[in-house]
């Protein structure tokens, strides 16, 4: 478990850094690029996301999950990944003008053609990423992620300031993709992998068919949703909804993104050693909800100052969308761990069926909601998230065997901790007056009182998350003390 904790710490630290960089970049870019322009970029990036999901048929997840890793399997993953990447790049290059015509946005052709440069680099990057994930080498992966984020932000801001509009996102993604691929090669130069080999292709595709198929369905559903909204409503609405979703996902990215990265290799490692996954799963849910629920409620409470601070006056329509979507995400009591656990158990067929169910639910719901406008689309998130969480949790229950009463017991103390945290915050907001007029100092005061209430809650309720926080605090304090007392910081003694 110490290896998993170390991996989680490094992955989380890396994601803290990349999220902070992203927050700063978003705050500046949102004042340079209007919602309509950003919506066009979202349409282009959603197109590439579908292609990226298809590429998962040459799956890096296979390298993480397989019990014995051989040279044939390494070469097979690279060969399949490279072949699929080249085919997809060719299709996208030819289809780009058609896609641009469908959305009546001629600039999408150049956006997609530019982005293909970064897409091609993934054929090298993803297999190496899979190897490092299998080794739980998240310290190196975090460093790569931070470097890529810095490059992405610098290029995006540079071209946005030069009025390249939504094309700035394509150029930034190419620069960061190439940076990540080169750093992965430098840190893990597994040159023997990059030779064509087909010996294990059946085994790889039999595993990847359902994991890749599930990703294809999820991203295709997302793409079709964005496409419907872009055609029925406007690209500006797409931009507003996407930004609202990003703000609501900030708690997960800041606090739990490391969990998402580490979950698959960690669960795979436990499964290979035949350890009890049900106990690990329930403890993980208890710890995750202790963070997520208070944070999402604070996002709802402080939506006005958050949007004003990070997005600026051109994005005020995002505020009610943020409050609705954050409310829907409260239903997701198992963020980032259900799907990796199913993959770790090797039940990829069930993963595919879950993705199919989600697609069959979400597309009709969004299509109907779009007829009633932007707010109705946001409210439809409750149905989509609810169905997804219930279906995936029941699947996990059937695989590792826990009762609904055990699940509710795991959530009990997190609910209490959330009450301890959010009630004082709501009281302070009521004392300060209208939530729409909260400034930076008042918002900081609300965060402080919520944090104090949270700490009191985990102590009073004896929440198990305290067993993770106290050792981490002591470790950081001890490291700072050691750095201060190192001999190198003092003058050397002389005779």
């Amino acid at each position: 478990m110490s290896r998993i904790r170390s991996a989680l710490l490094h992955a989380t630290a890396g994601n803290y850094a990349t999220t902070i960089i992203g927050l700063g970049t978003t705050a500046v870019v949102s004042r340079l690029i209007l919602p309509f322009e950003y919506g066009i970029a979202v349409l282009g990036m959603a197109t590439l996301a579908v292609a990226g999901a298809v590429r998962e048929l040459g799956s890096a997840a296979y390298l993480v999950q397989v019990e014995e890793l051989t040279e044939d399997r390494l070469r097979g993953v690279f060969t399949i990944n490279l072949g699929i990447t080249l085919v997809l790049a060719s299709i996208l290059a030819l289809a780009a003008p058609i896609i641009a015509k469908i959305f009546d946005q001629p600039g999408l052709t150049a956006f997609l053609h530019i982005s293909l440069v970064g897409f091609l680099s993934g054929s090298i990057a993803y297999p190496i990423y899979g190897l490092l994930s299998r080794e739980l080498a998240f310290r190196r992966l975090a460093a790569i992620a931070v470097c890529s984020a810095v490059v992405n932000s610098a290029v995006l801001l540079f071209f946005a300031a030069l009025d390249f509009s939504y094309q700035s996102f394509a150029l930034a993604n190419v620069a960061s993709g190439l940076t990540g691929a080169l750093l992965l090669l430098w840190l893990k130069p597994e040159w023997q992998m990059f030779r064509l080999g087909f010996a294990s292709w059946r085994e790889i595709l039999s595993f990847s068919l359902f994991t890749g198929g599930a990703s294809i369905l999820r991203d295709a559903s997302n793409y079709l949703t964005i496409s419907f909204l872009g055609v029925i409503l406007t690209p500006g609405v797409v931009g507003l909804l996407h930004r609202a979703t990003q703000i609501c996902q900030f708690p997960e990215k800041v606090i739990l993104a490391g969990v998402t990265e580490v979950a698959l290799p960690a669960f795979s490692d436990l499964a290979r050693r035949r350890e009890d996954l049900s106990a690990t799963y329930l403890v993980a849910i208890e710890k995750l909800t202790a963070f997520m629920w208070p944070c999402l409620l604070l996002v709802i409470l402080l939506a006005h100052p958050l949007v004003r601070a990070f997005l600026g006056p051109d994005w005020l329509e995002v505020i009610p969308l943020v409050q609705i979507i954050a409310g829907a995400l409260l239903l997701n009591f198992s963020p980032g761990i259900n799907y990796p656990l199913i993959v770790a158990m090797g039940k990829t067929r069930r993963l595919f069926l879950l993705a199919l169910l989600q697609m069959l639910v979400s597309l009709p719901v969004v299509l109907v909601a779009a007829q009633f406008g932007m707010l109705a689309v946001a409210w439809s998130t409750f149905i989509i998230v609810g169905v997804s969480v219930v279906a995936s949790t029941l699947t996990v229950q059937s695989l590792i065997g826990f009762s609904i009463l055990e699940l509710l017991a795991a959530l009990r103390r997190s609910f209490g901790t959330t009450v301890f945290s959010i009630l004082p915050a709501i009281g302070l907001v009521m004392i300060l007056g209208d939530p729409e007029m909260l400034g930076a100092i008042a918002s900081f005061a609300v965060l402080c009182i919520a944090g104090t209430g949270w700490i009191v809650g985990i102590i009073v309720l004896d929440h198990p998350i305290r067993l993770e926080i106290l050792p981490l605090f002591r470790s950081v304090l001890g490291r700072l003390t050691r750095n201060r007392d190192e001999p190198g910081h003092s003058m050397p003694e002389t005779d």
Side-chain angles (χ1 to χ4, degrees):
M1 290 298 290
S2 60
R3 291 177 65 231
I4 294 174
R5 282 197 176 93
S6 176
L8 180 59
L9 178 62
H10 288 121
T12 302
N15 280 285
Y16 272 141
T18 56
T19 302
I20 290 170
I21 294 167
L23 281 171
T25 305
T26 299
V28 178
V29 168
S30 296
R31 289 161 173 81
L32 299 173
I33 294 178
L34 296 174
F36 181 84
E37 298 173 294
Y38 179 67
I40 298 172
V42 171
L43 292 171
M45 290 187 287
T47 303
L48 292 164
V50 177
V54 175
R55 181 164 57 189
E56 286 194 27
L57 292 174
S59 179
Y62 169 81
L63 297 178
V64 177
Q65 188 267 352
V66 69
E67 287 202 16
E68 183 182 356
L69 200 56
T70 64
E71 191 169 318
D72 283 342
R73 286 169 173 165
L74 285 171
R75 292 178 181 176
V77 167
F78 168 70
T79 302
I80 294 171
N81 199 289
L82 177 64
I84 293 174
T85 298
L86 293 175
V87 170
L88 290 171
S90 302
I91 293 172
L92 279 175
L94 295 173
I98 301 171
I99 295 170
K101 188 174 182 179
I102 291 172
F103 294 112
D104 194 25
Q105 299 296 334
L108 267 180
T109 301
F111 184 99
L112 292 172
H113 285 165
I114 293 168
S115 299
L116 285 177
V117 178
F119 182 75
L120 288 168
S121 69
S123 60
I124 293 174
Y126 283 108
I128 301 177
Y129 183 92
L131 280 179
L132 290 173
S133 296
R134 179 186 177 90
E135 297 169 4
L136 297 176
F138 284 95
R139 181 175 183 176
R140 284 182 281 177
L141 289 175
I144 293 169
V146 171
C147 291
S148 298
V150 170
V151 171
N152 185 283
S153 295
V155 174
L156 176 57
L157 292 173
F158 176 78
F159 284 107
L162 293 178
D163 202 24
F164 273 66
S165 187
Y166 55 87
Q167 303 292 2
S168 307
F169 289 92
L171 294 165
N173 289 337
V174 168
S176 61
L178 292 175
T179 299
L182 291 172
L183 288 173
L184 283 164
L185 269 176
W186 178 54
L187 290 174
K188 189 77 173 175
E190 295 285 343
W191 301 109
Q192 76 277 9
M193 179 197 300
F194 303 118
R195 292 169 58 187
L196 299 182
F198 298 92
S200 300
W201 71 271
R202 290 180 184 274
E203 179 186 343
I204 296 167
L205 284 180
S206 65
F207 173 87
S208 303
L209 183 62
F210 292 108
T211 55
S215 295
I216 292 169
L217 287 177
R218 285 196 299 270
D219 285 299
S221 177
N222 182 55
Y223 179 64
L224 289 173
T225 299
I226 290 172
S227 300
F228 290 156
L229 295 176
V231 173
I232 297 172
L233 300 173
T234 65
V237 169
V238 172
L240 291 169
L241 285 165
H242 195 268
R243 277 296 189 218
T245 303
Q246 283 186 317
I247 291 176
C248 295
Q249 289 175 341
F250 275 147
E252 184 174 346
K253 289 183 177 180
V254 172
I255 299 170
L256 303 175
V259 173
T260 305
E261 287 191 46
V262 175
L264 176 57
F267 281 131
S268 297
D269 183 56
L270 292 172
R272 284 193 291 267
R273 293 191 277 116
R274 306 292 190 270
E275 295 199 15
D276 182 11
L277 287 175
S278 62
T280 303
Y281 176 78
L282 292 173
V283 169
I285 281 183
E286 188 168 18
K287 293 176 180 178
L288 294 179
T289 49
F291 283 116
M292 286 300 299
W293 284 346
C295 287
L296 286 170
L297 287 170
L298 284 171
V299 167
I300 296 172
L301 192 61
L302 300 176
H304 289 85
L306 276 175
V307 171
R308 288 200 306 268
F310 290 120
L311 301 183
D314 293 324
W315 297 80
L316 296 183
E317 290 178 274
V318 165
I319 293 170
L321 304 178
V322 166
Q323 293 173 320
I324 295 167
I325 295 171
L329 291 179
L330 287 168
L331 301 175
N332 187 17
F333 55 80
S334 56
I337 62 172
N338 277 358
Y339 287 98
L341 192 148
I342 295 169
V343 175
M345 296 290 291
K347 305 299 182 181
T348 54
R349 186 186 299 270
R350 299 196 189 189
L351 196 70
F352 179 83
L353 293 175
L354 284 171
L356 180 61
L357 173 64
Q358 186 170 2
M359 184 177 186
L360 293 175
V361 170
S362 63
L363 286 179
V365 166
V366 171
L367 191 57
V368 171
Q371 311 303 318
F372 299 93
M374 183 170 62
L375 287 175
V377 174
W379 281 109
S380 71
T381 310
F382 276 89
I383 299 174
I384 295 167
V385 173
V387 170
S388 175
V389 171
V390 170
S392 63
T393 303
L394 289 176
T395 301
V396 170
Q397 181 194 23
S398 69
L399 293 176
I400 61 177
F402 58 86
S403 68
I404 298 299
L405 288 177
E406 287 175 321
L407 178 61
L408 293 175
L411 298 173
R412 176 174 49 85
R413 283 183 288 190
S414 291
F415 179 80
T417 301
T418 302
V419 171
F420 269 92
S421 176
I422 205 65
L423 285 184
I426 293 173
L428 180 58
V429 169
M430 293 175 65
I431 292 171
L432 294 172
D434 189 351
E436 297 183 15
M437 304 307 296
L438 287 178
I441 295 176
S443 299
F444 181 73
V446 172
L447 291 174
C448 288
I449 197 168
T452 303
W454 184 79
I455 292 171
V456 171
I458 64 172
I459 293 173
V460 170
L461 299 173
D462 195 26
H463 198 288
I465 195 66
R466 65 183 177 79
L467 299 176
E468 302 290 339
I469 294 174
L470 292 177
L472 177 61
F473 177 77
R474 293 192 190 103
S475 174
V476 171
L477 186 63
R479 182 166 295 184
L480 291 174
T481 304
R482 285 197 302 272
N483 289 340
R484 185 189 63 192
D485 295 337
E486 280 180 357
H489 294 287
S490 59
M491 292 295 292
E493 295 182 1
T494 58
D495 292 334

